């Protein structure tokens, strides 16, 4: 607790940070939270005590002689962070978290420091939209708060990243992961790559090869070895399939339908004077969408994952 005089933050552009409703001066406020840069937030201690045992303990501390009528609690958070943190749960407010980094910072303050567990489900809903675009960052947040459901979703999206390639610079999200957590993620990445690689080595999982021109065409050059029980395959397709398997060895859940290799394969198929010329584009689309991609997801789902 502190009885120091109020200081109003002056931002670099000359604007003064003034807390807006409901943290502006109010006749019903019974406590002031003072940020590290001296900005006062008028709050109701009952609200904070209800969600946080840490705050409840703070408010029970005896006041010194000559303390102001409204107790002042000095906090270590600056005004911007404190404002966003309070608006994450305080009644009558709107969330102002704009980035995943801000959300991670808010969770660190609210959950790790002040033990406000009630915000976790809301936080999950705000994290999930970033799973596709920022999977490793979401994984780091999920690990910090032991969200296994979110962690698994983020880990699967990380299979679209070349995590085991040494050339890219280390992602900044590693600062928020323990070595064990990241090691486990790399192991999951490797085991998924091995599972996907087996799909390319044994094509017996294709139940009806007659549906696809590269098994049924007898005109263009064939692959020199059998790849499916009793059926030869066209060379152009196996070159495409093996090249894609090489990419999957590094990035197990690579977006199959967005790779330049597909257009290269269709260009080779167009040189065929038989079925492949006209059937390759629709057959590839059908194979990738309805057969190959679901098979990859099936095999990946069998791989054990843990933090």
């Amino acid at each position: 607790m502190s009885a120091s005089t109020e200081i109003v933050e002056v931002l670099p552009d000359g604007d003064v940070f003034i807390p807006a409703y409901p943290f502006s001066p109010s006749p019903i406020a019974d406590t002031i939270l003072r940020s590290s840069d001296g900005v006062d937030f008028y709050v109701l201690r009952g609200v904070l005590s209800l969600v946080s045992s840490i705050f409840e303990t703070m408010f029970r501390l005896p006041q010194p002689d000559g303390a102001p009528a409204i107790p002042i609690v000095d906090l270590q958070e600056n005004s911007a962070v404190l404002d966003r943190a309070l608006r994450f749960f305080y009644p009558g407010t709107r969330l102002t978290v704009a980035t995943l980094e801000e959300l991670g910072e808010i969770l660190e303050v609210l959950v790790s420091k002040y033990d406000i567990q009630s915000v976790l489900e809301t936080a999950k809903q705000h994290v999930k939209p970033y799973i596709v675009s920022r999977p490793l960052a979401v994984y780091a947040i999920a690990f910090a708060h032991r969200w296994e459901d979110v962690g698994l979703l983020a880990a699967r999206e990380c299979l679209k990243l070349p995590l085991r390639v040494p050339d890219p610079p280390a992602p900044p999200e590693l600062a928020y992961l323990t070595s064990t957590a990241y090691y486990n993620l790399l192991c999951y990445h490797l085991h998924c790559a091995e599972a996907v690689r087996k799909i390319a080595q044994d094509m017996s999982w294709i139940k009806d090869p007659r549906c696809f021109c590269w098994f049924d065409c007898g005109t263009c050059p064939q692959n020199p070895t059998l790849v499916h029980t009793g059926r030869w395959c066209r060379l152009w397709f196996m070159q495409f399939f093996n090249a894609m398997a090489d990419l999957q060895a590094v990035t197990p859940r690579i977006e199959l339908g967005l790779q330049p290799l597909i257009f290269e394969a269709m260009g080779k198929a167009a040189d065929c004077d038989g079925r492949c010329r006209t059937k390759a584009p629709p057959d590839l689309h059908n194979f990738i969408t309805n057969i190959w991609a679901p098979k990859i997801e099936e095999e990946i789902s069998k791989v054990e994952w843990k933090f």
Side-chain angles (χ1 to χ4, degrees):
M1 299 288 184
S2 168
S4 57
T5 57
E6 179 178 356
I7 303 173
V8 178
E9 177 191 15
V10 179
L11 301 177
D13 60 3
D15 294 332
V16 176
F17 187 96
I18 301 176
Y21 176 86
F23 308 121
S24 52
S26 167
I28 65 171
D30 55 16
T31 301
I32 293 174
L33 301 182
R34 179 163 291 166
S35 66
S36 61
D37 47 1
V39 177
D40 287 350
F41 292 76
Y42 288 73
V43 297
L44 292 168
R45 74 181 69 176
V47 172
L48 300 182
S49 296
L50 185 64
V51 298
S52 169
S53 59
I54 306 298
F55 276 116
E56 182 181 20
T57 300
M58 283 185 185
F59 298 147
R60 287 179 177 176
L61 295 176
Q63 292 291 294
D65 294 338
I70 299 182
I72 298 174
V73 180
D74 288 317
L75 301 181
Q76 296 178 342
E77 290 72 39
N78 66 41
S79 54
V81 171
L82 183 56
D83 187 69
R84 286 194 293 267
L86 289 172
R87 291 181 183 280
F88 207 85
F89 69 90
Y90 202 88
T93 61
R94 296 176 59 185
L95 298 179
T96 58
V97 179
T99 67
L100 191 59
E101 286 71 23
E102 288 183 356
L103 182 58
E105 184 179 38
I106 295 304
L107 287 175
E108 181 67 24
V109 171
L110 295 182
V111 180
S112 301
K113 185 172 183 179
Y114 294 113
D115 193 32
I116 304 180
Q117 300 293 325
S118 60
V119 304
L120 288 177
E121 286 304 316
T122 300
K124 277 188 182 182
Q125 300 311 311
H126 285 273
V127 164
K128 286 180 178 179
Y130 293 96
I131 289 176
V132 173
S133 61
R134 303 280 306 282
L136 190 55
V138 171
Y139 188 85
I141 292 175
F143 171 76
H145 300 285
R146 311 307 295 177
W147 295 340
E148 292 197 1
D149 53 344
V150 177
L152 177 57
L153 293 174
R156 288 174 62 85
E157 284 299 318
C158 285
L159 297 176
K160 297 178 181 178
L161 304 176
L163 295 184
R164 292 174 290 112
V165 176
D167 292 337
E173 291 84 1
L174 292 188
Y176 304 101
L177 286 171
T178 67
S179 57
T180 300
Y182 193 59
Y183 173 78
N184 288 341
L185 180 60
L186 291 179
C187 287
Y188 175 71
H189 199 277
L190 175 61
H191 294 157
C192 286
E194 292 171 344
V196 172
R197 184 67 176 174
K198 290 178 181 178
I199 296 174
Q201 294 170 343
D202 177 11
M203 300 178 71
S204 60
W205 49 272
I206 302 177
K207 302 304 181 183
D208 192 358
R210 295 171 300 174
C211 294
F212 305 108
C213 62
W214 49 86
F215 283 116
D216 205 38
C217 178
T219 304
C220 57
Q222 69 181 19
N223 193 63
T225 58
L226 278 170
V227 295
H228 197 286
T229 306
R231 284 195 173 271
W232 297 90
C233 184
R234 299 304 98 189
L235 181 61
W236 68 263
F237 177 80
M238 286 309 303
Q239 290 175 337
F240 159 72
F241 198 62
N242 289 331
M244 287 291 292
D246 289 340
L247 293 180
Q248 290 172 312
V250 177
T251 314
R253 287 189 75 217
I254 195 169
E255 294 287 354
L256 301 178
L258 301 178
Q259 303 308 310
L261 289 172
I262 292 178
F263 303 104
E264 181 181 335
M266 287 192 292
K268 292 179 179 178
D271 293 333
C272 174
D273 293 329
R275 295 193 66 199
C276 291
R277 178 190 294 270
T278 57
K279 291 283 291 177
D283 281 7
L284 272 174
H285 176 75
N286 178 34
F287 176 70
I288 290 172
T289 304
N290 300 316
I291 308 296
W292 194 9
K295 179 62 176 178
I296 290 171
E297 296 302 314
E298 176 188 345
E299 295 305 314
I300 286 176
S301 69
K302 299 175 184 178
V303 178
E304 181 183 6
W305 166 84
K306 62 180 180 180
F307 272 134

